[in-house]
Amino acid sequence: GNDNIEMIKTQLENKICNSVKTVPYNESYLKTFKKILKGLETKKEHYIWICSTVCDYENFDFGYICDPFAKENLHVFPS
């Protein structure tokens, strides 16, 4: 429901040089995340960023790569 969604989507696309998909919020974050995961193709590994239209990603490092021993973990960053 954010009026700035297209502007934020363009900002993210320019920052990460990749495709950005929007997924509407679905009752809870858990249901929304499950919907995102359900839509992914089956692969050995997936690296995805889940971003919110209410956060500022101007100085965020989307090139972050976690420790190989923590790759199965969910990483959460403050906005």
Side-chain angles (χ1 to χ4, degrees):
N2 188 329
D3 292 337
N4 297 324
I5 194 163
E6 288 305 318
M7 180 188 71
I8 295 164
K9 183 178 175 185
T10 301
Q11 178 189 35
L12 289 172
E13 286 173 336
N14 291 335
K15 190 161 181 72
I16 64 172
C17 300
N18 209 333
S19 65
V20 175
K21 297 179 183 174
T22 56
V23 178
Y25 181 78
N26 184 16
E27 293 182 38
S28 72
Y29 286 112
L30 180 59
K31 286 185 179 184
T32 305
F33 291 163
K34 284 182 177 182
K35 181 177 181 178
I36 292 168
L37 294 174
K38 188 176 180 179
L40 294 175
E41 61 185 85
T42 303
K43 285 184 166 181
K44 182 179 177 186
E45 295 179 340
H46 274 287
Y47 297 99
I48 60 173
W49 291 101
I50 298 176
C51 303
S52 172
T53 56
V54 299
C55 297
D56 179 10
Y57 296 102
E58 185 67 31
N59 296 312
F60 189 81
D61 179 14
F62 285 98
Y64 171 80
I65 298 174
C66 69
D67 184 303
F69 298 106
K71 71 178 188 175
E72 298 295 322
N73 297 350
L74 175 66
H75 301 275
V76 179
F77 304 91
S79 57

